[in-house]
Amino acid sequence: MEFTTGQIAHLIGGEVKGSDSLKISKLAKIQEGQEGCISFLSNLKYEPYLYTTQASAVIVDKKFVPKSEVKTTLILVDDPYTSFTTLLEEYHKFISFMKTGVETPSYIGQNSSTGENIYRGAFSYIGTNCRIGKNVKIYPQAYIGDNVTIGDNTIIFPGVKIYSDSKIGSYCTFHSGSVIGSDGFGFAPQPDGTYKTIPQVGNVIIGNHVDIGANTVIDCATMGSTVIHDGVKLDNLIQIAHNVEIGKNTVIAAQSGISGSTKIGENCVIAGQVGIVGHITLANKTSIGAQSGVGKSVTTEGTAIHGSPAFEYKKFLKSSSVFRKLPDLQKRIEELEEKIINLPTL
Amino acid sequence: MEFTTGQIAHLIGGEVKGSDSLKISKLAKIQEGQEGCISFLSNLKYEPYLYTTQASAVIVDKKFVPKSEVKTTLILVDDPYTSFTTLLEEYHKFISFMKTGVETPSYIGQNSSTGENIYRGAFSYIGTNCRIGKNVKIYPQAYIGDNVTIGDNTIIFPGVKIYSDSKIGSYCTFHSGSVIGSDGFGFAPQPDGTYKTIPQVGNVIIGNHVDIGANTVIDCATMGSTVIHDGVKLDNLIQIAHNVEIGKNTVIAAQSGISGSTKIGENCVIAGQVGIVGHITLANKTSIGAQSGVGKSVTTEGTAIHGSPAFEYKKFLKSSSVFRKLPDLQKRIEELEEKIINLPTL
Amino acid sequence: MEFTTGQIAHLIGGEVKGSDSLKISKLAKIQEGQEGCISFLSNLKYEPYLYTTQASAVIVDKKFVPKSEVKTTLILVDDPYTSFTTLLEEYHKFISFMKTGVETPSYIGQNSSTGENIYRGAFSYIGTNCRIGKNVKIYPQAYIGDNVTIGDNTIIFPGVKIYSDSKIGSYCTFHSGSVIGSDGFGFAPQPDGTYKTIPQVGNVIIGNHVDIGANTVIDCATMGSTVIHDGVKLDNLIQIAHNVEIGKNTVIAAQSGISGSTKIGENCVIAGQVGIVGHITLANKTSIGAQSGVGKSVTTEGTAIHGSPAFEYKKFLKSSSVFRKLPDLQKRIEELEEKIINLPTL
């Protein structure tokens, strides 16, 4: 994507000092700027870079007075940080939604419909009876099963797999390799030592403004629905088992796993590589430290826990610090025992 | 999929009380029933829902006498729970195997054959010299390399990747994103600090009735075979390294990892996020708690272990409970030391 | 793939004793040899297998004198182990690079170029403005976004997803399901409890001789680049977050995760299921034990750490061994307290 310095100045309401026809294709930190990049100067700690940067243009405060010669084009604004953030968001939105049209070959089943400004990449697959909203971007090699609904402005990156009967909201993002609606892991042990598959006939329901990371898996419910509420953000390589429910605006970091039928509250923060057992409930605003193993429900809102098995965060830190001294403690106990034995009997 | 209440009654040997032409497309719990759903009433604790449910039909005991007016259609049977389970299984089987035929475009290499009732979804790929059995369902965008054999009635969901030379049994299920036969992780350190790739020329052999979860990876053997025996059930996001062997009917939960050349016995139960080192052996019926790290062989059948590093399950629970009290123990040792010092010398 | 015993003898500079027209399609250990296999005898511990093996041919030392009748064809060489290794490497190289040409349908966008001996499998996708080197093998259903560069001799297995703007070196291998360049996990909390997406506009840069395992994910940088240097080897199901940098020849085992902006040194060895927090630095040659949780920087080259939270490896082993005895230690403290109380006051 290419914009000119003039177009960018117009977008952020700034004034160009230099050339307004320079081509800009990237955003960069001022210390990493190269030709074709635009950067910004807000914290004056970085001012020295202004005189040496290779960036084609830099956004600066209109009141800023350079101490040396500036070779790069400047764009003068009221607040460089805010302007750069605006530019970043506009650029990202533009990139995200710039693909439109239908590449061939791609597949769409009978009785499925798509809204305006759709992008259907080559080798993407949409089953039968699907309802796909407007501005939805379905990248190459993505799969959407039968009877799936997807709201407006949702982006489905290459190779995402959404099983039949899933219901997906608006303004969601699914990264490559994420799998939505695979069978829950349910097997009934038989007398001969084998396992019989418990049929998984439920689905997955995902709200609006949900982000799903690369290679994350959300299993369908055994019956009913696995539910991911509005605003949930899931990082990469996460496991969400059957019949789990995740409350609004909860954030989960990479490689964590939630076992079947557990209900997670709203606005929880779960760090990376956490494991949570099945059939428990976590109160709203629970926070869980990295690599924790959570074995029982948390009933008080705002509780912080850590460890495997997990308990109160501050207590875990204390126990953990004593853990390092265990060999010393053991020695001190031995010494005490020695001294007690050597006490003269009275 | 749609069935009528009459067709369902016929399938489970029941009698319709109400309309036999209602359209049923879903199975649901009685408290979650909606139009188009069928449910069941077995435990009378749920009887109140019978009078309020939105389900189109409910399977009930033929001896059951309602206490209030029932608006929904009933199907009368001898044992509602068993009938519903039968229905669930039949429905699941029907859904699983309903796809047939070859969608275009799809790819099949020279000298490969497929059995009757095959489904080859659009953008699926089958290499050369493959033997694919009957009733095999290869969903869109699945990949099957060269010289692969697949037994009858195996289901390969969208985007599964099966590398060349793999041997797959009958009645297996592979969920989306699972990878079978990728190179084992073997690199020989060189004097200059770089690593040289150790060629991985073996394959993967998978028995019958094996289930592989979404985004699970099974590496090929360095030489010989990585072997997954009959009836093994693997959850999502699991790592199985080169030359591992997993015994019959062993079950492994999500995000666990087994390192190279380890042999796991039959009927073991391994919980989620477990790590197992390479080159060890686990006896039959070993059970391993979640997040454990297993560093040495288990030789006694039926052993239960837990922790990282893992040891006897019950002992781990005790140590783990004392771990929480470590700051207190430390304080008590300090107090003892204080008291001993203050004892009058005799 | 099939070779004759004569062709193999020629390749490794050996002499055939037996038939030079036997067809060989596999390499195997002597104890696992079957028809169509070639094996080798180096360690004489395995000599008994020579007389019973089903392998079609065995590579032996030219000075070796059999004690019994040998039915299999022999290939006589100076050093059987080295010859077999050479054969293994040649075979692997041959298999890896044997695919050439363009299968249909496959997709390539405007203004993209590919070098000689390219393989573009069916349903593979290359976006616009890509530069793909010679001998690159792009397997079926792989995705390469816009503006991507890939060096010579790189292999991209089925279903790999490489997002736009990634820069990939030469002699790299990407296994199935790996995702390169997905959005970093960045969200800014808002006053109403929701999260706003922080645009991720950077990319991923990967050096030469890098191996990426199946279903491993490398996120793009927020701005700038996530960088994987030459010779890095990543196993399966690994998470590399935005703006991480991994130094030359570092090796990371399966299911480990590195959080955002962390810098890992050269020649580090990181075991499986390790978690590393963001914004820290690890010195060169750091080694980290399996399932460790690393919460702070390592500044001394060659440090070995273990545990969650991780500390010095040897100290962890000691603490861990005392951990098992915690219930006993607790009891001994109670006994000491008892004894102290019972001491007569003087």
Side-chain angles (χ1 to χ4, degrees), chain A residues 166-233:
Chain A
S166 301
K167 309 286 171 219
I168 313 284
S170 298
Y171 292 98
C172 293
T173 302
F174 293 80
H175 278 285
S176 283
S178 54
V179 175
I180 311 301
S182 41
D183 276 5
F185 192 63
F187 301 95
Q190 304 299 301
D192 65 353
T194 65
Y195 288 85
K196 192 173 169 183
T197 300
I198 298 171
Q200 307 286 316
V201 302
N203 74 342
V204 175
I205 297 176
I206 292 182
N208 303 316
H209 297 281
V210 171
D211 284 59
I212 307 290
N215 287 346
T216 280
V217 177
I218 303 176
D219 280 349
C220 75
T222 308
M223 277 201 288
S225 301
T226 303
V227 183
I228 313 295
H229 287 281
D230 290 357
V232 167
K233 310 296 180 189

Side-chain angles (χ1 to χ4, degrees), chain A residues 245-271:
Chain A
E245 182 173 351
I246 302 185
K248 278 201 298 184
N249 303 322
T250 279
V251 173
I252 305 183
Q255 297 178 317
S256 286
I258 320 289
S259 305
S261 300
T262 280
K263 309 258 172 275
I264 309 232
E266 302 182 358
N267 291 93
C268 296
V269 176
I270 299 175

Side-chain angles (χ1 to χ4, degrees), chain A residues 25-65:
Chain A
S25 61
K26 263 195 183 170
L27 298 97
K29 294 178 190 166
I30 193 165
Q31 65 271 39
E32 295 172 351
Q34 294 177 329
E35 199 186 318
C37 287
I38 188 164
S39 190
F40 74 108
L41 175 63
S42 174
N43 184 336
L44 290 181
K45 187 173 90 177
Y46 294 97
E47 183 180 342
Y49 291 110
L50 179 66
Y51 310 112
T52 58
T53 187
Q54 300 299 307
S56 298
V58 178
I59 300 170
V60 299
D61 191 316
K62 63 183 177 190
K63 295 185 206 120
F64 172 74
V65 183

Side-chain angles (χ1 to χ4, degrees), chain A residues 29-313:
Chain A
K29 294 178 190 166
I30 193 165
Q31 65 271 39
E32 295 172 351
Q34 294 177 329
E35 199 186 318
C37 287
I38 188 164
S39 190
F40 74 108
L41 175 63
S42 174
N43 184 336
L44 290 181
K45 187 173 90 177
Y46 294 97
E47 183 180 342
Y49 291 110
L50 179 66
Y51 310 112
T52 58
T53 187
Q54 300 299 307
S56 298
V58 178
I59 300 170
V60 299
D61 191 316
K62 63 183 177 190
K63 295 185 206 120
F64 172 74
V65 183
K67 298 202 185 79
S68 313
E69 189 199 1
V70 175
K71 288 172 188 157
T72 188
T73 287
L74 299 180
I75 298 179
L76 311 179
V77 299
D78 284 331
D79 177 350
Y81 181 76
T82 301
S83 291
F84 189 75
T85 303
T86 301
L87 188 59
L88 207 51
E89 285 167 0
E90 289 301 317
Y91 175 81
H92 192 243
K93 206 183 295 172
F94 183 84
I95 290 289
S96 300
F97 289 101
M98 75 182 186
K99 302 265 183 193
T100 52
V102 177
E103 294 170 355
T104 46
S106 57
Y107 185 101
I108 184 161
Q110 288 186 326
N111 199 24
S112 285
S113 66
T114 58
E116 58 189 44
N117 281 319
I118 190 91
Y119 170 55
R120 286 173 39 213
F123 319 124
S124 65
Y125 186 102
I126 299 174
T128 58
N129 301 313
C130 291
R131 297 282 160 275
I132 314 284
K134 63 184 181 187
N135 293 320
V136 171
K137 307 302 172 187
I138 300 173
Y139 275 75
Q141 302 140 342
Y143 170 86
I144 294 165
D146 301 332
N147 317 313
V148 173
T149 62
I150 299 182
D152 298 341
N153 302 297
T154 282
I155 301 174
I156 297 172
F157 277 106
V160 170
K161 308 301 177 207
I162 299 178
Y163 280 53
S164 295
D165 303 310
S166 301
K167 309 286 171 219
I168 313 284
S170 298
Y171 292 98
C172 293
T173 302
F174 293 80
H175 278 285
S176 283
S178 54
V179 175
I180 311 301
S182 41
D183 276 5
F185 192 63
F187 301 95
Q190 304 299 301
D192 65 353
T194 65
Y195 288 85
K196 192 173 169 183
T197 300
I198 298 171
Q200 307 286 316
V201 302
N203 74 342
V204 175
I205 297 176
I206 292 182
N208 303 316
H209 297 281
V210 171
D211 284 59
I212 307 290
N215 287 346
T216 280
V217 177
I218 303 176
D219 280 349
C220 75
T222 308
M223 277 201 288
S225 301
T226 303
V227 183
I228 313 295
H229 287 281
D230 290 357
V232 167
K233 310 296 180 189
L234 301 184
D235 201 350
N236 303 327
L237 292 161
I238 287 172
Q239 151 75 353
I240 307 293
H242 60 90
N243 295 83
V244 163
E245 182 173 351
I246 302 185
K248 278 201 298 184
N249 303 322
T250 279
V251 173
I252 305 183
Q255 297 178 317
S256 286
I258 320 289
S259 305
S261 300
T262 280
K263 309 258 172 275
I264 309 232
E266 302 182 358
N267 291 93
C268 296
V269 176
I270 299 175
Q273 298 183 335
V274 166
I276 302 181
V277 299
H279 298 275
I280 65 170
T281 302
L282 301 188
N284 292 343
K285 300 190 182 171
T286 298
S287 80
I288 306 176
Q291 298 191 323
S292 293
V294 182
K296 50 186 188 185
S297 290
V298 171
T299 52
T300 308
E301 191 168 315
T303 303
I305 56 177
H306 202 157
S308 176
F311 52 103
E312 296 80 349
Y313 174 64

Side-chain angles (χ1 to χ4, degrees), chain A residues 1 26-29 32 40 84-85 88-89 91-92 98-99 103-105 119 121-123 139-141 157-161 173-177 211 214-215 231 233-237 248-255 267-269 273 290-291 306 316 320 322-327 329-330 332-334 336-337 340-341 343-344 346, chain C residues 105-107 123-125 141-143 146-147 161 163 165 177-179 182-183 185 187 192-197 199-201 203 215-217 219 223-225 237-240 243 255-257 273-276 291-293 296 307-312 315-316 318-320 322-323 325-326 329 332-333 335-336 339-340 343-344 346:
Chain A
M1 263 325 87
K26 263 195 183 170
L27 298 97
K29 294 178 190 166
E32 295 172 351
F40 74 108
F84 189 75
T85 303
L88 207 51
E89 285 167 0
Y91 175 81
H92 192 243
M98 75 182 186
K99 302 265 183 193
E103 294 170 355
T104 46
Y119 170 55
F123 319 124
Y139 275 75
Q141 302 140 342
F157 277 106
V160 170
K161 308 301 177 207
T173 302
F174 293 80
H175 278 285
S176 283
D211 284 59
N215 287 346
K233 310 296 180 189
L234 301 184
D235 201 350
N236 303 327
L237 292 161
K248 278 201 298 184
N249 303 322
T250 279
V251 173
I252 305 183
Q255 297 178 317
N267 291 93
C268 296
V269 176
Q273 298 183 335
Q291 298 191 323
H306 202 157
F316 172 78
S320 191
V322 181
F323 176 78
R324 295 178 183 223
K325 295 183 277 185
L326 278 183
L329 286 199
Q330 180 175 243
R332 284 158 68 187
I333 291 170
E334 282 160 10
L336 282 166
E337 288 168 334
I340 291 274
I341 283 167
L343 279 178
L346 296 176
Chain C
S106 57
Y107 185 102
F123 319 124
S124 65
Y125 185 102
Q141 302 139 342
Y143 169 87
D146 300 332
N147 317 312
K161 308 301 177 206
Y163 280 54
D165 302 309
S178 54
V179 176
S182 40
D183 276 5
F185 193 64
F187 300 94
D192 65 353
T194 66
Y195 287 86
K196 193 173 169 184
T197 300
Q200 306 286 317
V201 302
N203 73 342
N215 287 346
T216 280
V217 177
D219 280 349
M223 277 202 288
S225 301
L237 292 162
I238 287 172
Q239 151 75 351
I240 306 293
N243 294 85
Q255 298 178 316
S256 286
Q273 299 183 335
V274 166
I276 302 181
Q291 298 190 322
S292 292
K296 49 187 189 184
S308 175
F311 54 102
E312 295 81 348
K315 290 189 180 167
F316 171 79
K318 282 181 192 160
S319 283
S320 191
V322 181
F323 175 78
K325 295 183 277 184
L326 278 183
L329 287 199
R332 284 158 68 186
I333 291 170
E335 285 167 2
L336 283 166
K339 281 181 185 161
I340 290 275
L343 280 178
L346 296 176

Side-chain angles (χ1 to χ4, degrees), chain B residues 58-78:
Chain B
V58 177
I59 300 170
V60 298
D61 191 317
K62 64 184 177 191
K63 294 186 206 119
F64 172 75
V65 182
K67 299 203 186 79
S68 313
E69 188 198 2
V70 175
K71 289 171 189 156
T72 188
T73 288
L74 299 180
I75 298 180
L76 311 180
V77 298
D78 284 333

